[in-house]
Amino acid sequence: MKTTGHVFKYADNVDTDVIIPARYLNTPNAAELALHCMEDIDKEFVKKVQQGDVIVAGWNFGCGSSREHAPLVIKTCGTGCVIAKSFARIFYRNAINIGLPILECPEAAEEINAGDDVTVDFDTGIITDNTTGKTYKSQAFPPFIQNIIEKGGLLASLKDND
Amino acid sequence: MGMTMTQKILAAKAGLDKVVPGQLISAKLDIVLGNDITTPVAVNEFNKAGFDSVFDKDRIAIVLDHFVPNKDIKAAEQSKQCREFSCNHCISHFYDVGKMGIEHALLPEQGVVTAGDCIIGADSHTCTYGALGAFSTGVGSTDMAAGMATGTAWFKVPSAIKFNLTGKLPGNCSGKDVILTIIGMIGVDGALYKSMEFAGDGVKTLSMDDRLCICNMAIEAGAKNGIFPVDEKTVEYMTGRCERTPVVYEADSDAEYEKVIDINLSAITPTVSCPHLPENTRKASELSQVKVDQVVIGSCTNGRMEDMETAYKILKGKKVADGVRCIIIPATMSIMRECSEKGYVTAFIDAGAVVSTPTCGPCLGGYMGILAAGEKCIATTNRNFVGRMGHVDSEVYLASPATAAASALTGYITEYKE
């Protein structure tokens, strides 16, 4: 599985309140929520994002609340992958559980620029910046987590184990 | 090498003699929690996956607390969905308006959680229950759905940071000043993926409300959980309250910690987190030029009885400064009742404050105290991110109930002096 798209770049500690502000959490409807993705730090994001695009960010991406709405809106907007220097643990767990690919790679997160054209290969963990020609290797998921992603999320994997 | 308290609970719940940091385990859950925002997403996932029953109707807690009494039609629909699911599955710990409280104040108070438990909650502040000597951590709605269906969850066993507490807090400080000081020291990802294990002689000087507040904000340092040893105060708190028998785990004397950080409680000073991250801490005394428009005393962090007592002590017979809105929110109905019985509610109203029934409301910018552009609020809540309490150009300063109440009287951030 691969994704190719343009990069939206953000700083450290992007929290779940800016990914999807709580004032919109009066609905569980993903499409409705996704209209407000990243609104409080980047009003242009939802207007510009296209299928397969990649979010690149610094340390501790997704810190704060446990709201699963956060990875859900990022995925629903069409984002193909999030690359960060590190992820907050609940966000990391939620992203895997709903099937949003996320990769930790400090070097790539540092060097890749906003607007670059990037390809991410989830099977190998190879990130290619097509604009600069540089490649980066991120750590592959452990088998336990690969299984969840392959089955299409946590609940699907549980049903499969029945 | 021995195990930490967290590792011991996880080993027991996974049916293993020993676990090591980094190990992936499947653990049995004692309580699975959700609220009116996260439960609807979980219920949708639960139904979509085709589950038709929960693992144990007595081990699931659903608390309507974020937007109740409902703030709008959509929020009402979410509550209705929680209510119907709870009714259909005969969930015994379903808390609706009139019975509800802010989940992390309510579950310990009602004895739903106890020492030795393994708890997941679809709310990041689920880490609060570590104060009782439980392993308790925040997860998302899909994990909640899976937990409700199977009674198990997967975990990566965390490594640990030990906080060795010594001394005794000064009279104008509380648990909030301790945890803000720690977050200021180690940063908002200082304990990422790890457990924060509190230990040392200083523990016995902290009240249960202090410990609940400290564990509550472990997530604000990125931690998986925070945990306190069980001592006489814990046992006293749990006796006659907890519906299940507490199980006490102790860290091995040769447990491995990635780091040990000494915290002298006697040296703690009233601390405030400045916008827009909890790690941006300063001494309250250095912020006396900051003028505030609003004060909020409440939340899962600081809406407990001791917090209300502190606010009462400072506000009684005084007046909130002109131009300041002071909002006080007791965290549960029983705390509200006690505030009413003891005359606190009257004193708060006489001081010019408003008193609300329990709700998370303003903490997450839901309702009951939303800020306009350029406004500043000092709050006993737990997050001061951009836009957290309203407009993206508003500011939240996090502080203890004493600092917040003292600031309400002056209109500026004020260190409380006894």
Side-chain angles (χ1 to χ4, degrees), chain B residues 42 44 165 183 241 247 251 255 299 312 319 401:
Chain B
N44 291 344
L165 310 181
I183 295 165
R241 184 190 296 269
V247 181
S299 84
Y312 171 73
K319 288 283 178 200

Side-chain angles (χ1 to χ4, degrees), chain B residues 287-306:
Chain B
L287 297 166
S288 56
Q289 302 305 310
V290 178
K291 192 174 185 313
V292 296
D293 303 285
Q294 180 168 295
V295 176
V296 172
I297 300 174
S299 84
C300 62
T301 312
N302 279 128
R304 297 185 182 79
M305 203 55 220
E306 275 184 16

Side-chain angles (χ1 to χ4, degrees), chain B residues 108-111 113-115 131-133 203-209 211-212 229-244 246 248 306:
Chain B
E109 174 196 282
Q110 295 294 314
V113 291
T114 194
L132 301 183
V203 168
K204 65 176 184 291
T205 69
L206 295 171
S207 70
M208 288 313 294
D209 284 2
R211 299 179 200 185
L212 288 158
V230 175
D231 66 4
E232 283 173 17
K233 275 188 190 164
T234 329
V235 171
E236 189 193 343
Y237 180 86
M238 293 187 297
T239 304
R241 184 190 296 269
C242 293
E243 56 196 32
R244 286 172 292 110
V248 178
E306 275 184 16

Side-chain angles (χ1 to χ4, degrees), chain B residues 305 308 330 335-345 348:
Chain B
M305 203 55 220
M308 296 297 123
I335 295 168
M336 178 116 202
R337 191 175 196 285
E338 197 173 337
C339 285
S340 174
E341 271 178 2
K342 289 183 166 169
Y344 294 5
V345 172
F348 293 153

